[in-house]
């Protein structure tokens, strides 16, 4: 059945068309009549007809204005136009508005019905298209959302909200990404159940779930902007209810607020949150505020341009050594140092710190530093069982140097014979071959470079503290001579220039 509204300022013609034609036999319901465009707009709002048969020339608001206003608000409504002889200008304007069916006055029933039958066909085409889109759109929407999260293809995030079921339901200016993650992938039924359950619970607090998609072991849902505290009870209820469908436990993470352009970044944030989530067992929803303090701390302490990227083990040890010196200066306990290294490994590789025997025995944390360096190197260098014995021996020597970095008694003989069980001369030649420097020069430059860097990063540090941290006596006399030999200035001069912003 199709609903028809007739609009004409001439009472005789308007009522004649409405009453004299048996519209029911053409599967048409006569919804009503109006005598001008203004009255027609009021009745359209109340009656929502499928089609309108309207005159062109009318007082107050003519047919062209009526068509234009209806097209803006109700684009699904189809028109047929009544026009008098010589009103071709109006007819052409109607055609510009997308009207393709008009009837020349005076007209009879056959011509009116013929035009209306053509309008019905236009309506049928629209309905079939919309029915098809309503079937296909949800899957297309999910695929588009998935591609945007993975930063694939050329789709625009705005397209997500242009699907039929999302018409006139645009999201707020910002939104969040909610991700459910399980060890085993979610199947189609589980994803559907999660999305439906979440959508219903969010609607209960005036929020929405816009679209969901499955990516490996994740179900990602785009939702209204919401605070973690508001979301936690909802996630808790879903977990309690969902156990009937999926026995495998899952974790949940909520991104920071974002706009459509930031979808890939928001999904990448999920990896970070799930990596750190092991530190927050018992929390219903992982979110960035839970980790902000430690995250900022590790960002300040670690040079990520070196750690995890360098292919030089000595450079990696040097960089992590500086991290531990700074933690030592700030009075971190052994447990706090261990926590920071746990975070570093989770951040870089999503894995826990592997604590080896002896890693936590020395209070300085040097063994812990070496332990972390080994794990970073294993993940970043790609070296494994095919690594040469020579390279492994060289890394062992470097580890001993940095493990005993603050030991004033460290020397070639002590390291070679006492720790590595090698002849002094052989070790000296071996180390110079592998590093390109004599052992004494390597140790001197490593310590002085560390001293210079910690003064740049901690400009309030006392010189005697730097001296002790880098393996020299607290009085600083020999340290001062060594520092000037490498840098060309005394430590106090160097620190002063740092404080002045010259270095």
């Amino acid at each position: 059945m199709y609903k028809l509204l007739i609009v004409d300022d001439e009472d005789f013609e308007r009522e004649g068309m409405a009453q004299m034609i048996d519209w029911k036999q053409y599967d048409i319901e006569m919804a009503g009549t109006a005598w001008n465009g203004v009255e027609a707009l009021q009745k359209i709002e109340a009656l929502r007809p499928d089609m309108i048969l309207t005159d062109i020339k009318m007082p107050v608001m003519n047919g062209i204005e009526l068509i234009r206003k209806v097209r803006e608000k109700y684009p699904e409504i189809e028109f047929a136009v009544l026009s008098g002889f010589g009103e071709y200008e109006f007819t052409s304007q109607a055609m510009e508005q997308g009207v393709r069916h008009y009837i020349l006055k005076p007209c009879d029933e056959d011509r009116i019905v013929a035009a209306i039958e053509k309008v019905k066909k236009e309506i049928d085409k629209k309905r079939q298209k919309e029915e098809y889109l309503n079937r296909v759109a949800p899957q297309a929407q999910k695929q588009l959302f998935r591609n945007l999260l993975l930063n694939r293809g050329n789709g625009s995030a705005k397209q997500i909200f242009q699907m039929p079921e999302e018409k006139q339901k645009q999201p707020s200016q910002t939104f969040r990404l909610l991700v459910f993650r399980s060890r085993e992938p979610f199947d189609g039924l589980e994803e559907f159940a999660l999305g439906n359950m979440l959508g219903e619970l969010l609607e209960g607090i005036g929020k929405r779930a816009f679209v969901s998609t499955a990516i490996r072991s994740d179900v990602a849902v785009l939702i209204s902007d919401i605070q973690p505290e508001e979301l936690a009870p909802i996630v808790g209820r879903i977990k309690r209810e969902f156990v009937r469908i999926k026995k495998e436990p899952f974790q949940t993470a909520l991104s920071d607020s974002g706009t459509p352009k930031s979808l890939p970044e928001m999904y990448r944030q999920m990896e970070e949150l799930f990596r750190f989530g092991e530190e927050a067992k018992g929390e219903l929803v992982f979110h960035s505020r839970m980790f902000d303090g430690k995250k900022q701390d590790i960002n300040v302490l670690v040079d990520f341009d070196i750690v995890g990227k360098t292919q030089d083990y000595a450079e990696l040890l040097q960089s992590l050594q500086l991290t531990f010196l700074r933690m030592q200066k700030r009075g971190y306990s052994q447990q706090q140092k261990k926590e920071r290294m746990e975070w570093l490994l989770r951040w870089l590789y999503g894995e826990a710190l592997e604590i080896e025997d002896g890693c936590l025995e020395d209070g300085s944390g040097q063994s812990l530093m070496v332990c972390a360096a080994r794990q970073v190197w294993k993940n970043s260098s790609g070296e494994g069982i095919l690594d040469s014995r020579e390279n492994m021996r060289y890394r062992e020597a470097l580890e001993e140097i940095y493990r005993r970095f603050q030991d004033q008694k460290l020397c070639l003989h002590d390291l070679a014979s006492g720790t590595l069980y090698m002849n002094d001369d052989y070790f000296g030649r071996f180390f110079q071959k592998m590093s390109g420097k004599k052992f004494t020069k390597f140790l001197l430059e490593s310590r002085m470079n560390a001293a210079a860097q910690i003064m740049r990063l901690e400009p309030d540090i006392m010189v005697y503290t730097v001296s002790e941290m880098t393996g020299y006596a607290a009085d600083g006399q020999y340290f001062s001579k060594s520092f000037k030999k490498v840098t060309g200035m005394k430590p106090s001069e160097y620190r002063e220039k740092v404080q002045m912003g010259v270095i």
Side-chain angles (χ1 to χ4, degrees):
M1 184 69 75
Y2 307 83
K3 293 172 70 175
L4 171 66
L5 177 70
I6 297 178
V7 188
D8 197 313
D9 63 319
E10 296 183 21
D11 295 346
F12 177 77
E13 291 192 11
R14 182 180 67 247
E15 298 307 321
M17 288 185 289
Q19 297 177 19
M20 299 302 292
I21 299 175
D22 183 7
W23 292 108
K24 288 186 178 179
Q25 69 172 312
Y26 302 110
D27 198 27
I28 292 173
E29 174 190 343
M30 174 51 59
T33 61
W35 77 279
N36 64 28
V38 173
E39 185 184 13
L41 284 176
Q42 295 172 349
K43 293 199 172 183
I44 289 167
E45 180 71 32
L47 302 172
R48 298 295 175 88
D50 299 302
M51 61 181 81
I52 298 172
L53 177 59
T54 182
D55 192 7
I56 286 283
K57 292 185 69 175
M58 295 181 295
V60 186
M61 180 187 290
N62 65 30
I64 299 301
E65 292 177 84
L66 173 63
I67 292 168
R68 188 178 293 117
K69 289 184 179 295
V70 172
R71 282 278 187 260
E72 290 175 359
K73 196 169 183 180
Y74 308 105
E76 70 278 6
I77 295 177
E78 288 292 334
F79 281 86
V81 168
L82 293 164
S83 64
F85 183 77
E87 296 174 353
Y88 298 117
E89 180 182 349
F90 288 105
T91 303
S92 64
Q93 290 179 41
M95 294 181 72
E96 287 176 5
Q97 296 297 318
V99 178
R100 295 292 176 263
H101 313 288
Y102 64 96
I103 308 161
L104 190 64
K105 290 183 176 182
C107 50
D108 56 27
E109 178 177 340
D110 291 341
R111 289 163 63 194
I112 293 172
V113 170
I116 292 298
E117 287 293 333
K118 292 178 182 177
V119 174
K120 284 169 57 179
K121 290 180 180 178
E122 294 292 333
I123 293 172
D124 289 342
K125 286 180 183 178
K126 278 189 175 181
R127 287 177 176 175
Q128 289 171 4
K129 184 178 180 181
E130 186 167 352
E131 183 183 351
Y132 171 76
L133 288 175
N134 282 329
R135 288 200 314 269
V136 175
Q139 293 306 316
Q141 189 184 34
K142 287 176 183 291
Q143 186 60 47
L144 172 61
F145 181 45
R146 187 176 192 274
N147 289 343
L148 289 167
L149 292 175
L150 297 174
N151 205 18
R152 296 175 182 170
N154 301 315
S156 165
K158 292 181 180 179
Q159 291 176 267
I160 293 175
F161 308 107
Q162 292 172 357
M163 301 294 178
E165 69 274 17
E166 292 296 337
K167 285 181 180 178
Q168 301 177 3
K169 293 181 181 179
Q170 295 289 336
S172 56
Q173 190 173 5
T174 59
F175 52 85
R176 299 207 189 211
L177 185 64
L178 179 66
V179 173
F180 300 93
R181 174 168 293 183
S182 175
R183 284 178 294 184
E184 295 295 328
F186 292 90
D187 62 29
L189 175 61
E190 291 166 346
E191 180 201 341
F192 177 79
L194 265 179
N196 269 18
M197 201 180 299
L198 177 64
E200 288 180 9
L201 292 172
L202 284 174
E203 284 181 9
I205 59 170
K207 303 291 184 179
R208 286 197 61 212
F210 295 100
V211 58
S212 67
T213 192
I215 304 175
R216 297 179 292 275
S217 297
D218 293 347
V219 169
V221 192
L222 192 67
I223 65 174
S224 305
D225 203 342
I226 187 172
Q227 294 303 312
E229 296 79 10
E230 293 179 274
L231 186 63
I234 290 175
V235 170
R237 182 171 174 184
I238 289 174
K239 286 192 172 185
R240 291 192 298 271
E241 296 288 336
F242 203 69
V243 72
R244 302 173 187 173
I245 303 172
K246 187 179 180 71
K247 303 299 182 184
E248 185 73 26
F250 58 84
Q251 296 175 316
T252 312
L254 180 69
S255 76
D256 292 335
S257 301
T259 62
K261 291 183 179 179
S262 59
L263 277 171
E265 290 76 16
M266 293 166 78
Y267 190 54
R268 282 195 290 271
Q269 186 190 17
M270 295 297 102
E271 292 300 324
E272 183 179 301
L273 291 175
F274 281 119
R275 283 179 180 181
F276 294 156
E278 291 297 320
E279 297 277 326
K281 292 178 179 177
E283 292 288 342
L284 288 169
V285 182
F286 303 150
H287 54 91
S288 62
R289 290 206 315 268
M290 295 165 57
F291 313 115
D292 276 348
K294 290 183 180 179
K295 181 179 177 182
Q296 291 169 5
D297 196 25
I298 203 76
N299 260 327
V300 169
L301 291 170
V302 177
D303 185 349
F304 283 95
D305 287 335
I306 295 176
V307 177
K309 295 180 181 179
T310 184
Q311 294 299 299
D312 183 338
Y313 196 50
E315 186 179 38
L316 171 61
L317 286 165
Q318 175 82 36
S319 184
L320 285 179
Q321 174 65 45
L322 182 62
T323 296
F324 272 75
L325 289 177
R326 296 183 72 191
M327 288 194 288
Q328 181 181 337
K329 189 263 178 185
R330 297 180 182 197
Y332 281 35
S333 66
Q334 186 81 314
Q335 179 60 29
Q336 288 173 316
K337 293 174 185 176
K338 175 177 172 291
E339 286 176 359
R340 295 319 183 266
M341 291 302 100
E342 285 275 7
W343 272 72
L344 174 65
L345 271 297
R346 290 200 183 283
W347 195 329
L348 289 174
Y349 311 113
E351 61 186 38
L353 174 66
E354 297 171 3
I355 301 297
E356 300 173 5
D357 291 342
C359 276
L360 301 176
E361 289 179 1
D362 64 293
S364 67
Q366 299 302 110
S367 295
L368 176 62
M369 184 271 293
V370 169
C371 181
R374 285 179 181 173
Q375 196 167 343
V376 171
W377 184 255
K378 182 177 68 174
N379 278 283
S380 64
S381 70
E383 293 188 16
I385 58 173
L386 298 179
D387 194 13
S388 70
R389 180 177 176 81
E390 199 172 52
N391 283 336
M392 290 190 288
R393 197 65 167 158
Y394 175 57
R395 289 202 302 276
E396 185 181 359
L398 290 172
E399 289 172 357
E400 282 304 314
I401 291 171
Y402 282 96
R403 184 178 280 113
R404 298 177 56 186
F405 194 77
Q406 297 177 314
D407 183 356
Q408 296 178 31
K409 297 179 181 180
L410 177 60
C411 62
L412 183 147
H413 171 73
D414 191 28
L415 184 65
S417 59
T419 304
L420 300 175
Y421 307 107
M422 297 171 69
N423 175 272
D424 289 6
D425 291 338
Y426 174 77
F427 174 71
R429 291 192 302 272
F430 168 76
F431 191 86
Q432 185 169 1
K433 172 190 170 184
M434 298 301 291
S435 69
K437 297 176 184 178
K438 289 184 177 181
F439 172 81
T440 52
K441 184 179 182 182
F442 178 90
L443 182 60
L444 173 67
E445 290 183 351
S446 296
R447 283 173 163 173
M448 294 308 105
N449 286 336
Q453 288 183 59
I454 197 168
M455 281 192 281
R456 285 201 300 273
L457 294 168
E458 306 283 348
D460 63 327
I461 196 168
M462 302 301 293
V463 172
Y464 72 84
T465 302
V466 180
S467 178
E468 288 183 309
M469 282 182 168
T470 51
Y472 290 83
D475 60 29
Q477 292 182 10
Y478 186 43
F479 168 71
S480 183
K481 291 179 182 179
S482 300
F483 190 86
K484 187 173 183 180
K485 181 178 180 180
V486 174
T487 66
M489 63 183 82
K490 293 179 180 179
S492 56
E493 295 172 338
Y494 188 90
R495 191 185 65 172
E496 185 179 345
K497 288 182 180 292
V498 169
Q499 293 171 341
M500 293 171 60
V502 177
I503 297 178

